[in-house]
Amino acid sequence: MSSEKQRIPDILWKKWGPYVSNREWGLVREDYSPDGDAWNYTSHDTAEAKTYRWGEEGICGICDDFQKLVFSVGFWNKKDKIIKERFFGLTNGQGNHGEDVKEYFYYLDSTPTHSYMKMLYKYPQNAFPYDELLQENAGRDRNQPEFELIDTGIFDQDEYFDIFIEYAKEGPMDILVKLTIVNRADKEASLVVLPTAWFRNTWSWGYDDYKPELYAETPSSIRVSHKEIEIKNIYARQSEKVLFCENETNNRRLYQSENTSRFCKDGINDFIINHNQSSVNPENKGTKAAFLIDEVFKAKESKVFEFRLSDKDLEKPFEVFDIIFEKRKSEADHFYEEIQQGIHSEDEKWVQRQAFAGMLWNKMFYHYNVEKWLKGDPAEIQPPKSRERIRNYEWEHLNNEHIISMPDKWEYPWYATWDLAFHTISFSLIDPDFAKQQLKLFTFEWYMHPNGQLPAYEWNLSDVNPPVHAWAVFRVFKIDEYLKGKPDLEFLESAFQKLLMNFTWWVNKKDSNGNNIFEGGFLGLDNIGVFDRNSVLPNGEQLEQADGTSWMAMFALNMMRIALELAQYNRVYEEMATKFFEHFLSIAHSLDNMGDEQFSLWDEEDEFFYDAIASGDCKHMYLRLRTIVGLIPLFAVEVIDDDMIENLPNFKNRMDWVLKNKPELAALVSHWQIKGEDSKHLLSLLRGHRLKRLLKRMLNPDEFLSEYGVRALSKEYENNPFHLNLNGTDYTVKYTPAESDSGLFGGNSNWRGPIWFPINFLIIESLQRFFFYYSPDFLVEYPTGSGSYSNLDQIADSLSKRLSGIFLKDENGHRPFNRQYPRFQTDPNFKDYILFYEYFHGDNGRGVGASHQTGWTGLIAKILQPRFSKKEIAESETEMPDTNKNTIQKSAE
């Protein structure tokens, strides 16, 4: 067992990590405006001078698990108007496709305990084009591409620094920092480096007036004085002096009022940029401090700078610096060698390791107490009355203060619950305990609403996301069981109990007619519909959602499967398994038999699932728009071993009674009485015929099938857009393979054509489950119209390879996600650094949306991982298949 793997259970080794946001400005939790205008209440322009209430931001920053002390690095190229202390980007209103970071940085490596970490930031040597990026994007509409940093030409002459930032822990509270800075230009360039430490401000809000202190006794060390922080010293090998100020807002600059401190948060910036000697404390103390390093780099020169945060007093802090670094780097390599056994391609290993790194670097300290946020703090001006009913006012119980996996620490520096469910699948391969902890976190009473709803995300905690939490819980449980050789029943049972509340909330709140047809709203799919699916239709019509109902059928099956697992150890859970079995049947029945007209969301004419509009007279009208909404019924599938049923006689007897006495429900249970391969039973919304008809459309290159996965919308609507006139209003939906041309949800994400990893991942898993039941003789034309036929496992394998192909080198050595810019494909200083985008161009695989390890795209790490063999699955009693690009190992192997 590797040294890193042995460290993982020790929570002290995780106390310090990359838990600092890439952006704290423009966030709901920092918004105290009367009208909830979060993007404008705090901005990039005010960030250097404003002290934050709920968190901190920085470039490649680290902090403790309660973010009492933060360490990050600032830079100045002697041409910028401000120190580069945070990444720049556009707000939702400034970008022609929504919020958008305008920097290039890459997460290259990390271990689960963060004993070793590495990332790269590319910092221009010429003045950063803040105004050009703002103005050019402001002049573009949604039909034009985003204007990116590289489009300004600032990298054309290689006039930039590659800044590699590495961390290595000698111990849990002893952290070494190495900056390797390379001048890529053919001429000399200057750079000011400002390694910075500061305390999160906890003393200004009226609860606790304890104020810690940083102070310096030499130009190369900072003393840390905090009653709750173990780290006592910060050392620098190279430093001219230490600059001090306070982490206090510059009120005079921002609000034209008196300051509470002489040396405000932007004091170091003012000293460096404006040479203001009075903006830093001459007594060499404060709550924010930075080492000052002013260097000139020759053409192509590389220099190394070393620092150390330690809980010890060290006379020679850098004596064994290189030895420790090499040891931790070697241990990281050994850890991933064990993880990547069976991956033979070096390129696949490279991509997967960066995917894991992105997941690990996007952990973040997340702090949000809604009650305090609504009421304001004792020491601050009380918020206006309008805030009493502002967003999230129904979530006063919510009090979050944990390390949480973020989708993206710049564009989404707040958790999204359904995103996080997918994150845990990748985490489970390297740190299953963290994956389990993340899933349990959202079922705690200070997260979950008393009514059972899980919080969605801070912009609207009440929004409704697809109920995938139970799926992730069981998935992680089984992976953890396989890796450790024993089941964590305490985790599974605890999560199940809380998920019962969540299931009940769905039934009570999202089934408005009590007919097991679930609305749910946009369900995380933003602009996929004809109109905003969160909105009430003009004449009171209701949207009957094929995806909402299918998600709930999947939820019911997931809960049944968990109950069956628990019933192997405690027969009490047989009754719960029966409950969810019958609930699944009721949902499946309603999907086919709604109202007096026995309306079905399956359209027999088109042989596809559609949303429908129900009018006041209970008449239904199909919205015949072919989207992934119609494919989501694939996800409600479960395969159960016959031995498990035979071992639970009460469950078996009740099932037999239902199937015998309720023939209308029995007809919905796909082949339950017919045992499949290896005596397995199938529960699904789809019988063989409907499955094949859905797959015929899904696997058609002229509709859903792309060279890079399954599109979110049929490509047919590219040349023949969908049109609908409802109540005198015309609606149009067109296939748009990349950026959105719709203003729904700000236009910053698009489900009208691109490839999204979470949906593709669930499609692949569903096909594998169906294959577990059906024999290899169950063949489907693939691709549709090709005349070639494949079984479902082969199709799942092929879809996995299409997704992997987005990142891996093609026959020309190019990576499709980088397709937009030739330089990114050929420049050795760019081409092998991977960005895991939010979603991907439906025709060419180009990365779109949030660019820096959008968490669920980290599923590529799981897809690249070799699957368990059938023998291994049997030995671990794993019923759920593994999603991966490789086919199941045949017995002959």
Side-chain angles (χ1 to χ4, degrees):
M1 182 186 295
S2 68
S3 298
E4 173 62 19
K5 194 170 184 178
Q6 294 178 54
R7 276 193 291 265
I8 290 175
D10 186 347
I11 59 173
L12 277 180
W13 275 88
K14 298 177 184 176
K15 184 171 179 64
W16 277 79
Y19 310 142
V20 184
S21 178
N22 287 334
R23 173 173 64 87
E24 189 71 12
W25 57 270
L27 302 181
V28 167
R29 57 188 181 273
E30 299 293 350
D31 172 28
Y32 285 83
S33 68
D35 57 355
D37 186 10
W39 277 115
N40 292 309
Y41 186 76
T42 56
S43 68
H44 183 269
D45 289 344
T46 64
E48 71 196 57
K50 182 174 179 60
T51 299
Y52 295 120
R53 171 65 177 86
W54 298 102
E56 295 293 343
E57 65 192 4
I59 294 175
C60 69
I62 61 170
C63 68
D64 61 279
D65 54 355
F66 284 96
Q67 202 170 83
K68 301 288 178 61
L69 177 64
V70 182
F71 177 88
S72 182
V73 188
F75 307 97
W76 186 49
N77 57 19
K78 299 195 174 181
K79 297 177 182 177
D80 280 346
K81 59 183 179 182
I82 55 174
I83 296 171
K84 179 63 70 172
E85 293 183 276
R86 62 196 53 81
F87 294 127
F88 173 72
L90 305 182
T91 69
N92 203 28
Q94 292 171 335
N96 61 325
H97 293 288
E99 63 263 38
D100 184 21
V101 67
K102 298 298 184 185
E103 307 265 11
Y104 294 112
F105 55 97
Y106 305 86
Y107 301 121
L108 302 181
D109 208 356
S110 181
T111 58
T113 65
H114 312 293
S115 60
Y116 177 75
M117 299 191 297
K118 183 178 183 179
M119 70 169 287
L120 166 64
Y121 173 47
K122 293 179 176 287
Y123 181 45
Q125 293 172 3
N126 292 309
F128 197 90
Y130 295 105
D131 294 337
E132 184 181 2
L133 288 165
L134 285 165
Q135 294 166 9
E136 183 63 31
N137 280 286
R140 297 190 176 194
D141 61 28
R142 291 193 187 95
N143 295 310
Q144 294 175 285
E146 297 165 356
F147 185 70
E148 304 291 4
L149 180 60
I150 195 169
D151 293 321
T152 67
I154 201 162
F155 293 103
D156 285 355
Q157 306 302 318
D158 287 336
E159 293 178 359
Y160 69 92
F161 295 102
D162 262 347
I163 302 173
F164 294 91
I165 305 104
E166 294 175 90
Y167 292 94
K169 294 181 181 178
E170 196 280 331
M173 311 298 163
D174 194 352
I175 307 165
L176 285 61
V177 189
K178 180 191 294 186
L179 303 184
T180 304
I181 302 177
V182 185
N183 175 11
R184 294 296 182 194
D186 289 324
K187 61 181 182 181
E188 185 179 273
S190 296
L191 180 67
V192 175
V193 183
L194 296 157
T196 306
W198 69 98
F199 297 114
R200 178 167 61 89
N201 190 318
T202 57
W203 55 86
S204 294
W205 319 113
Y207 304 102
D208 183 357
D209 61 0
Y210 170 72
K211 190 174 181 179
E213 187 175 71
L214 302 169
Y215 59 94
E217 297 171 344
T218 73
S220 59
S221 66
I222 299 170
R223 189 73 175 174
V224 180
S225 177
H226 192 298
K227 64 182 181 180
E228 296 175 352
I229 294 293
E230 294 87 348
I231 287 177
K232 301 303 180 186
N233 295 288
I234 306 175
Y235 300 101
R237 186 187 284 271
Q238 311 98 323
S239 175
E240 299 173 20
K241 63 186 300 186
V242 187
L243 306 173
F244 288 87
C245 62
E246 302 290 343
N247 187 9
E248 306 266 9
T249 297
N250 190 334
N251 293 318
R252 184 174 291 108
R253 174 182 164 185
L254 297 182
Y255 311 118
Q256 295 75 54
S257 61
E258 288 301 310
N259 285 326
T260 58
S261 171
R262 286 179 55 200
F263 312 105
C264 299
K265 178 182 175 181
D266 57 350
I268 295 172
N269 180 86
D270 198 20
F271 176 87
I272 297 294
I273 302 297
N274 300 317
H275 310 293
N276 183 356
Q277 301 291 321
S278 64
S279 67
V280 295
N281 192 339
E283 296 181 11
N284 288 337
K285 63 181 182 180
T287 51
K288 179 180 178 181
F291 295 110
L292 174 60
I293 303 168
D294 190 347
E295 291 285 325
V296 175
F297 290 74
K298 298 176 183 177
K300 305 296 183 181
E301 186 179 14
S302 173
K303 293 186 179 184
V304 175
F305 304 90
E306 298 172 351
F307 313 92
R308 187 168 184 171
L309 294 74
S310 183
D311 58 349
K312 298 183 283 289
D313 295 322
L314 301 169
E315 291 186 9
K316 299 179 179 180
F318 303 100
E319 185 175 29
V320 291
F321 191 92
D322 291 338
I323 294 173
I324 296 170
F325 247 99
E326 287 306 311
K327 182 178 181 181
R328 294 294 179 253
K329 177 65 169 64
S330 176
E331 290 171 350
D333 291 340
H334 187 198
F335 174 76
Y336 282 111
E337 283 171 7
E338 290 183 355
I339 297 292
Q340 295 181 329
Q341 289 181 22
I343 301 179
H344 303 296
S345 162
E346 292 302 315
D347 195 33
E348 290 178 6
K349 291 179 182 179
W350 177 251
V351 170
Q352 188 195 49
R353 190 154 170 179
Q354 287 187 63
F356 283 134
M359 300 297 299
L360 290 160
W361 272 92
N362 271 300
K363 292 181 185 180
M364 194 181 90
F365 171 74
Y366 184 86
H367 190 200
Y368 187 26
N369 183 312
V370 172
E371 182 181 21
K372 289 182 178 180
W373 176 76
L374 288 170
K375 294 179 179 178
D377 297 313
E380 296 292 293
I381 298 173
Q382 290 302 293
K385 290 284 290 182
S386 60
R387 286 183 57 82
E388 292 180 1
R389 307 282 294 182
I390 208 165
R391 65 162 58 92
N392 297 333
Y393 71 92
E394 296 176 324
W395 290 76
E396 284 197 20
H397 74 284
L398 188 132
N399 182 13
N400 302 165
E401 194 175 10
H402 289 93
I403 304 303
I404 306 178
S405 175
M406 299 294 122
D408 177 314
K409 288 200 299 190
W410 196 95
E411 300 203 28
Y412 301 107
W414 28 262
Y415 61 76
T417 304
W418 88 294
D419 298 53
L420 182 131
F422 293 101
H423 300 186
T424 62
I425 305 303
S426 297
F427 274 120
S428 66
L429 297 178
I430 54 175
D431 190 354
D433 289 339
F434 179 75
K436 291 184 293 183
Q437 181 266 344
Q438 292 287 284
L439 288 167
K440 283 192 65 175
L441 196 60
F442 286 78
T443 67
F444 291 160
E445 55 270 27
W446 48 91
Y447 283 76
M448 176 185 277
H449 197 281
N451 65 17
Q453 185 179 8
L454 298 180
Y457 40 79
E458 71 176 32
W459 284 91
N460 185 354
L461 294 168
S462 294
D463 256 345
V464 182
N465 289 168
V468 293
H469 217 74
W471 163 80
V473 163
F474 191 66
R475 196 73 176 83
V476 168
F477 167 78
K478 277 300 182 182
I479 294 172
D480 179 58
E481 179 185 17
Y482 173 76
L483 294 175
K484 294 181 179 177
K486 61 180 181 179
D488 186 349
L489 295 173
E490 182 180 345
F491 160 71
L492 190 64
E493 188 169 15
S494 172
F496 180 78
Q497 300 292 345
K498 292 298 187 68
L499 288 168
L500 286 173
M501 296 175 60
N502 185 236
F503 190 91
T504 303
W505 175 83
W506 271 90
V507 171
N508 291 338
K509 293 293 186 179
K510 291 302 173 181
D511 178 11
S512 59
N513 295 322
N515 62 357
N516 288 300
I517 297 296
F518 295 85
E519 290 82 30
F522 82 99
L523 281 172
L525 302 185
D526 293 2
N527 59 8
I528 198 169
V530 177
F531 31 71
D532 183 346
R533 299 196 299 168
N534 267 338
S535 300
V536 177
L537 296 177
N539 291 337
E541 299 96 340
Q542 289 184 333
L543 185 65
E544 307 280 23
Q545 293 181 227
D547 57 334
T549 305
S550 301
W551 285 120
M552 281 303 291
M554 174 185 171
F555 194 179
L557 283 182
N558 295 151
M559 293 295 281
M560 183 198 75
R561 184 62 187 84
I562 294 173
L564 287 174
E565 188 76 14
L566 291 171
Q568 306 297 309
Y569 306 91
N570 185 343
R571 291 299 175 88
V572 169
Y573 285 96
E574 281 189 85
E575 295 179 9
M576 297 307 300
T578 301
K579 168 199 162 39
F580 285 107
F581 171 72
E582 294 193 32
H583 213 123
F584 166 75
L585 292 180
S586 298
I587 294 171
H589 183 255
S590 296
L591 198 64
D592 260 357
N593 300 276
M594 292 191 298
D596 296 336
E597 56 183 313
Q598 298 291 291
F599 183 81
S600 171
L601 292 181
W602 172 265
D603 182 2
E604 292 289 355
E605 181 180 341
D606 278 7
E607 296 188 302
F608 200 76
F609 284 103
Y610 292 118
D611 285 348
I613 295 176
S615 59
D617 57 3
C618 296
K619 297 296 183 183
H620 290 85
M621 177 185 73
Y622 285 123
L623 288 175
R624 286 191 169 91
L625 174 66
R626 287 193 293 282
T627 75
I628 53 171
V629 164
L631 301 178
I632 289 173
L634 283 167
F635 305 161
V637 53
E638 191 58 76
V639 181
I640 303 176
D641 189 85
D642 190 52
D643 289 342
M644 176 176 283
I645 304 301
E646 294 298 328
N647 288 334
L648 301 173
N650 294 333
F651 176 72
K652 182 179 186 298
N653 292 338
R654 178 60 182 171
M655 281 180 40
D656 289 342
W657 186 93
V658 170
L659 298 176
K660 180 179 178 180
N661 292 278
K662 296 185 178 182
E664 75 281 4
L665 299 183
L668 301 169
V669 185
S670 300
H671 298 288
W672 184 259
Q673 305 292 3
I674 305 172
K675 297 178 183 178
E677 188 181 23
D678 298 328
S679 296
K680 296 184 184 298
H681 296 276
L682 177 68
L683 273 172
S684 169
L685 289 179
L686 303 174
R687 285 186 175 274
H689 172 74
R690 287 189 179 181
L691 174 61
K692 286 190 174 183
R693 303 311 292 174
L694 276 187
L695 294 181
K696 182 177 181 180
R697 291 202 185 275
M698 189 185 83
L699 303 177
N700 186 345
D702 295 328
E703 291 212 52
F704 289 99
L705 185 64
S706 162
E707 287 297 315
Y708 303 97
V710 175
R711 303 179 177 106
L713 180 72
S714 173
K715 189 175 171 62
E716 177 184 325
Y717 303 116
E718 183 173 37
N719 297 321
N720 301 292
F722 175 85
H723 295 284
L724 173 70
N725 183 283
L726 182 66
N727 301 318
T729 301
D730 289 319
Y731 299 90
T732 300
V733 176
K734 183 179 180 181
Y735 170 81
T736 52
E739 291 86 358
S740 175
D741 63 359
S742 167
L744 290 182
F745 295 91
N748 62 323
S749 72
N750 182 21
W751 292 83
R752 298 187 170 189
I755 294 149
W756 292 78
F757 262 67
I759 298 298
N760 274 264
F761 189 84
L762 290 174
I763 286 172
I764 292 166
E765 280 213 338
S766 298
L767 292 176
Q768 291 173 344
R769 284 198 189 94
F770 279 115
F771 176 77
F772 265 44
Y773 172 78
Y774 289 110
S775 71
D777 296 332
F778 187 94
L779 301 176
V780 174
E781 188 179 24
Y782 175 74
T784 302
S786 67
S788 299
Y789 287 79
S790 301
N791 66 44
L792 299 183
D793 188 65
Q794 291 168 335
I795 294 171
D797 173 61
S798 178
L799 292 178
S800 296
K801 288 178 178 175
R802 289 174 187 245
L803 294 172
S804 302
I806 291 171
F807 304 103
L808 299 174
K809 293 178 182 177
D810 62 18
E811 62 277 6
N812 298 313
H814 295 168
R815 304 181 189 275
F817 82 87
N818 263 338
R819 195 177 298 275
Q820 187 173 5
Y821 295 103
R823 178 171 186 174
F824 289 172
Q825 301 280 31
T826 58
D827 189 327
N829 294 316
F830 280 92
K831 67 185 181 72
D832 290 327
Y833 299 127
I834 313 298
L835 293 177
F836 299 89
Y837 282 84
E838 185 178 5
Y839 54 101
F840 300 87
H841 194 290
D843 296 334
N844 63 32
R846 171 173 65 85
V848 190
S851 54
H852 288 84
Q853 184 54 45
T854 301
W856 55 26
T857 302
L859 287 165
I860 188 62
K862 183 70 183 74
I863 290 171
L864 288 169
Q865 190 71 4
R867 282 163 59 189
F868 307 146
S869 70
K870 280 188 174 181
K871 180 175 182 293
E872 290 169 326
I873 291 172
E875 288 175 349
S876 65
E877 298 181 348
T878 302
E879 296 296 333
M880 299 180 72
D882 255 272
T883 306
N884 184 268
K885 67 184 181 62
N886 301 313
T887 57
I888 292 177
Q889 296 180 29
K890 305 299 185 288
S891 57
E893 295 177 337

